[in-house]
């Protein structure tokens, strides 16, 4: 009798980490473990795990990262685990693989989008010329709406208010105001921090070493939450020259590429991971794309992010409202719908395979 393999979608950070480590070990990959200075919900040690395939002299490297926005690790980890478990030991061709698991382990373990300092890691990778200060014009006007100093309630008027603000200002303007990243409200949503996060420092220290002398790198960073249900776009948040655009489109197809723009599904953000990776010049040809898979609508997503943030800062950890907010956030970023999961998993595995065939 044929037995179907277990789902790669884990129930939490610790089962996901164990599954990732086991899958990498089966292939004989090197596993590097980096503890962070923040505990899990029950005092556990949290780690970023890195699995590195053989072929240290390969002329191409594929980097696959997940969990930068902690709770999105439920999806991103499943992609990495599924791909690893489908491989045969010793068969990696001429490509070197570097898998970065749970870049924000605190957010993953606690069911948050943000890290232990409430920092959105994808607003924290500032370039050398940029300072950790300021907010987009208009954010302060919406602070009391976005970040009420109280626990969430069963019924909130936020969606009505958000809908009115979208009607009044337009969706592109709202994206710029709310989602660009801010540095003035430490307990607010989309907080970019007062300095480099642990994820930022850890990657600054190690990413160049993992890439090594390889001149040709394709980096896929898996995210969820933006776009139409079960579809994806490869979001690019740095200027592409014609050669880079041609290489990306030859790998993945022109219809999949979207340069971040408030007029599209995405938005331009300050301190974005991809722009930082490319600016560091880790390789002569470093192509980065955020593989973004759609779930629910933007106002629904923002309402869920807001409610969880309120619960974390102003609610009791054991209260019903906190539990509901945390469960809702997980559903928003990793829907339980089996058709969504099977669709996005198949598409994601295909993206990694395409990156490796360059």
């Amino acid at each position: 009798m044929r037995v179907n393999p277990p789902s790669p979608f884990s129930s939490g950070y610790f089962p996901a980490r164990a599954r990732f480590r086991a899958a990498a070990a089966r292939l004989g990959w090197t596993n590097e473990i980096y503890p962070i200075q923040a505990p899990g919900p029950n005092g556990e040690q949290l780690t970023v795990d890195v699995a590195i395939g053989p072929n240290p002299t390969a002329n191409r490297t594929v980097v696959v990262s997940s969990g930068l926005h902690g709770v999105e690790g439920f999806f991103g980890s499943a992609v990495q685990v599924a791909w690893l478990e489908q491989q045969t030991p010793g068969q990696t061709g001429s490509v070197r693989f570097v898998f970065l698991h749970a870049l924000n382990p605190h957010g993953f373990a606690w069911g948050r989008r943000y890290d232990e300092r409430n920092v959105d890691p994808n607003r924290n990778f500032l370039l050398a010329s940029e300072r950790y200060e300021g907010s987009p014009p208009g954010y302060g006007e919406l602070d009391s709406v976005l970040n009420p100093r109280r626990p969430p309630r069963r019924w909130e008027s936020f969606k009505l208010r958000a809908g009115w603000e979208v009607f009044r200002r337009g969706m592109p303007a709202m994206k710029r105001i709310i989602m660009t990243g801010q540095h003035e409200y430490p307990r607010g949503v989309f907080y970019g921090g007062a300095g480099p996060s642990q994820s930022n420092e850890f990657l600054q220290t190690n990413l160049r070493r993992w890439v090594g002398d390889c001149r040709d790198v394709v980096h896929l960073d898996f995210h969820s939450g933006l776009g139409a249900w079960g579809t994806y776009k490869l979001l690019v948040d740095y200027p592409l020259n014609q050669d880079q655009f041609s290489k990306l489109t030859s790998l993945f197809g022109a219809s999949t590429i979207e340069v971040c723009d408030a007029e599209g599904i995405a938005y331009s953000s300050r301190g974005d991971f991809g722009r930082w990776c490319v600016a560091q010049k880790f390789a002569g040809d470093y192509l980065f794309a955020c593989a973004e898979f759609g779930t629910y609508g933007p106002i629904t997503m923002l309402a869920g992010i807001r409610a969880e943030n309120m619960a974390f800062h102003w609610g009791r950890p054991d209260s019903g409202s906190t539990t509901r907010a945390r469960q809702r956030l997980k559903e928003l970023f990793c829907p339980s719908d089996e058709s969504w999961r099977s669709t996005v998993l198949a598409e994601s595995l295909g993206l990694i395979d395409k990156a490796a065939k360059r």
Side-chain angles (χ1 to χ4, degrees):
M1 182 177 71
R2 182 178 179 180
V3 178
N4 292 326
S7 170
F9 288 89
S10 296
S11 59
Y13 162 76
F14 295 102
R17 184 177 71 179
R19 186 95 173 261
F20 177 82
R21 289 178 178 178
R26 182 185 67 86
L27 295 176
W29 288 21
T30 300
N31 186 201
E32 298 183 5
I33 299 172
Y34 297 88
I36 68 165
Q37 299 302 309
N42 296 305
E44 309 97 330
Q45 184 180 75
L46 303 176
T47 61
V48 179
D49 283 71
V50 181
I52 305 170
N55 300 331
T57 60
N59 57 12
R60 291 185 296 126
T61 296
V62 174
V63 180
V64 179
S65 53
S66 74
L68 187 63
H69 284 142
V71 71
E72 295 177 34
F74 286 99
F75 159 64
S77 175
V79 171
Q80 292 176 308
V81 164
W83 192 90
L84 289 169
E85 291 183 345
Q86 290 181 8
Q87 306 310 303
T88 301
Q91 294 186 353
T92 57
S94 60
V95 178
R96 187 184 194 205
F97 290 94
V98 178
F99 276 38
L100 312 178
H101 182 266
L103 288 177
N104 174 11
H106 185 273
F108 194 169
W110 286 83
R112 305 207 70 215
R113 195 173 187 267
Y114 307 130
D115 73 4
E116 67 281 356
R117 294 180 179 174
N118 201 53
V119 171
D120 182 327
N122 212 28
R123 305 295 183 276
N124 185 257
F125 286 87
L126 299 189
L127 304 184
S129 61
E130 297 173 328
R131 299 171 66 90
Y132 288 89
E133 59 184 33
S135 299
Y139 189 97
E141 298 173 26
L142 296 174
D143 173 54
S144 62
V145 178
L146 294 171
N147 310 306
R149 277 59 167 174
R150 60 169 175 79
R153 300 166 180 152
R154 280 190 175 271
W155 189 90
E156 294 273 356
S157 62
F158 173 73
K159 286 187 179 181
L160 295 175
R161 175 65 185 273
W164 164 248
E165 293 292 344
V166 169
F167 175 78
R168 186 166 73 93
R169 303 171 187 258
M171 182 60 81
M174 286 292 285
K175 287 180 179 180
R176 285 191 294 269
I177 292 170
I178 299 173
M179 301 174 184
T180 297
Q182 55 87 13
H183 300 274
E184 295 182 343
Y185 303 87
R187 293 190 177 187
V189 293
F190 301 100
Y191 174 58
S197 67
Q198 290 195 70
S199 298
N200 185 324
E201 293 175 337
F202 148 79
L203 288 161
Q204 284 192 52
T205 302
N206 295 288
L207 192 49
R208 189 180 301 277
R209 175 174 60 84
W210 296 324
V211 171
D213 295 329
C214 183
R215 301 286 299 170
D216 184 357
V217 177
V218 178
H219 185 161
L220 293 174
D221 187 38
F222 282 88
H223 288 254
S224 58
L226 283 177
W229 180 266
T231 67
Y232 76 90
K233 286 287 185 181
L234 297 178
L235 307 181
V236 177
D237 58 357
Y238 55 93
L240 289 173
N241 60 39
Q242 187 56 50
D243 185 51
Q244 290 171 321
F245 183 76
S246 297
K247 288 176 180 177
L248 278 175
T249 55
S250 67
L251 279 173
F252 305 111
S255 64
T256 68
I257 310 298
E258 181 178 309
V259 178
C260 286
D261 185 343
E263 300 291 342
I265 70 163
Y267 44 82
S268 296
S269 59
R270 187 172 185 265
D272 196 281
F273 180 36
R275 183 187 63 140
W276 177 86
C277 283
V278 174
Q280 304 312 301
K281 301 187 184 302
F282 292 126
D285 186 7
Y286 198 107
L287 292 177
F288 183 104
C290 168
E292 182 75 54
F293 285 78
T295 58
Y296 296 86
I299 293 180
T300 297
M301 297 298 296
L302 183 57
I305 292 170
R306 171 184 180 267
E308 187 282 327
N309 195 57
M310 292 164 63
F312 183 81
H313 292 295
W314 311 106
R316 298 193 318 273
D318 58 349
S319 71
S321 62
T322 297
T323 299
R324 287 191 298 272
R326 199 166 285 169
Q327 291 174 342
R328 179 59 175 163
L329 196 72
K330 177 183 176 182
E331 171 63 24
L332 290 173
F333 285 101
C334 187
S336 55
D337 182 87
E338 289 300 329
S339 63
W340 182 89
R341 291 188 170 193
S342 61
T343 298
V344 300
L345 198 61
E347 296 281 14
S348 299
L349 299 183
L351 288 174
I352 297 174
D353 290 339
K354 288 176 182 178
K357 290 177 181 178
R358 179 176 174 187

